[in-house]
Amino acid sequence: MVRLGVNIDHVATLRNARGGMEPEPLTAAAVAELGGADGITIHLREDRRHIKDDDVAQIRKISRLPLNLEMACSREIVQIACNTLPNSCTLVPERREELTTEGGLDVAGHFDSVKWAVSTLIDKGIKVSLFIDPEERQIEYAAKTGAQFIELHTGAYANATGDLQKEELNKLYIAAAFAQDAGLIVNAGHGLNYQNTTDVAQIHGIYELNIGHSIMSRAIFTGLQRAVEDMKQILARANR
Ligand code: PXP
């Protein structure tokens, strides 16, 4: 069964809206675990707009689930990762003005800085994933950095409808196969929800899906544990 990484950044966004202590991302990590989450994903952005340094340290120390830290290739954040030692880091592009991570990392265009971040993290025993668009050129360069994983950006698939969505799904199939042939383990994420996840979960060899917004949105109405359980059922039923 495909693993589920639950992205809990939105819990920090809600907490920060009032500048207080609640809701606590650490509690969200514990409740997501009760719902069957296989991992916790958080994004420490350079502007710290949601997750803060203390959240990373606390979740790393107390949560029992593997921690995946999404991050830019910046020296400051790489240093924090080396000190905190999450189980894995996913390198993402980051622009301050964007609402969420908009495109995949241009590994081919920023090869030296990405390779530096990958080898610095791997030297510390951290697994590294690169969040990229489903394009052969990016996958080839991703493999050359020494990263063990890629995360295919599913945003274009999630935003498309009808035949265009089928085309985007096909790109994900081709990219996943190409990446596995290149020796990479393939994750995917962005924009996945209770309607569009099954098709992605059925792609051969997909290891883990990282899902945040749709789970947190459902959690407002059903509670977080139930929202995670519902997504786990979708993954359990996806035949591959
Ligand atoms: N994967 C990556 C690399 C991301 O940046 C995000 C958004 O933070 C996600 C997955 C989760 O996306 P969504 O919130 O749309 O499920």
Side-chain angles (χ1 to χ4, degrees):
M1 177 174 152
V2 183
R3 293 166 58 88
L4 175 63
V6 176
N7 182 313
I8 60 172
D9 293 346
H10 288 303
V11 177
T13 302
L14 188 56
R15 174 198 58 196
N16 299 350
R18 285 288 172 96
M21 301 286 286
E22 63 178 12
E24 288 180 338
L26 180 63
T27 309
V31 176
E33 182 185 358
L34 289 176
D38 300 294
I40 295 298
T41 292
I42 49 179
H43 186 171
L44 184 67
R45 294 187 72 103
E46 289 181 274
D47 63 8
R48 309 297 200 272
R49 72 171 71 149
H50 37 60
I51 292 293
K52 312 276 186 200
D53 300 51
D54 281 353
D55 295 320
V56 181
Q58 247 193 351
I59 293 168
R60 178 70 189 101
K61 194 166 157 214
I62 295 170
S63 169
R64 286 176 298 197
L65 291 178
L67 175 63
N68 173 37
L69 185 67
E70 288 177 5
M71 51 185 267
C73 286
S74 86
R75 288 193 173 268
E76 185 216 355
I77 307 282
V78 168
Q79 192 54 54
I80 290 171
C82 288
N83 294 339
T84 330
L85 300 177
N87 302 76
S88 60
C89 288
T90 301
L91 300 178
V92 302
E94 204 174 290
R95 285 189 300 119
R96 278 171 199 254
E97 62 274 24
E98 69 192 356
L99 284 177
T100 179
T101 315
E102 282 164 5
L105 189 64
D106 180 9
V107 185
H110 301 98
F111 185 74
D112 290 343
S113 59
V114 177
K115 189 167 178 359
W116 166 79
V118 171
S119 36
T120 307
L121 295 165
I122 286 182
D123 281 353
K124 287 283 180 181
I126 302 167
K127 293 179 202 141
V128 183
S129 179
L130 304 181
F131 183 54
I132 57 174
D133 291 326
E135 292 168 10
E136 288 189 3
R137 179 173 150 80
Q138 295 296 343
I139 295 167
E140 276 166 1
Y141 275 87
K144 281 189 207 162
T145 65
Q148 306 98 324
F149 293 75
I150 56 166
E151 179 172 333
L152 291 175
H153 194 319
T154 51
Y157 157 78
N159 290 333
T161 51
D163 284 348
L164 281 179
Q165 188 165 50
K166 284 193 194 127
E167 275 174 35
E168 292 297 336
L169 183 63
N170 199 36
K171 283 187 201 164
L172 293 168
Y173 265 92
I174 293 167
F178 186 80
Q180 288 172 79
D181 285 347
L184 292 158
I185 303 170
V186 182
N187 298 334
H190 212 282
L192 297 179
N193 60 33
Y194 293 83
Q195 287 74 44
N196 65 18
T197 293
T198 299
D199 283 342
V200 176
Q202 286 177 336
I203 297 174
H204 180 76
I206 291 272
Y207 180 72
E208 181 170 279
L209 298 179
N210 283 304
I211 307 181
H213 189 265
S214 65
I215 290 178
M216 293 305 157
S217 302
R218 178 170 288 217
I220 287 176
F221 303 113
T222 67
L224 181 55
Q225 183 172 338
R226 174 71 195 275
V228 175
E229 285 166 358
D230 289 351
M231 187 56 83
K232 285 285 287 191
Q233 285 220 358
I234 288 176
L235 301 188
R237 288 195 194 124
N239 294 318
R240 305 204 270 175

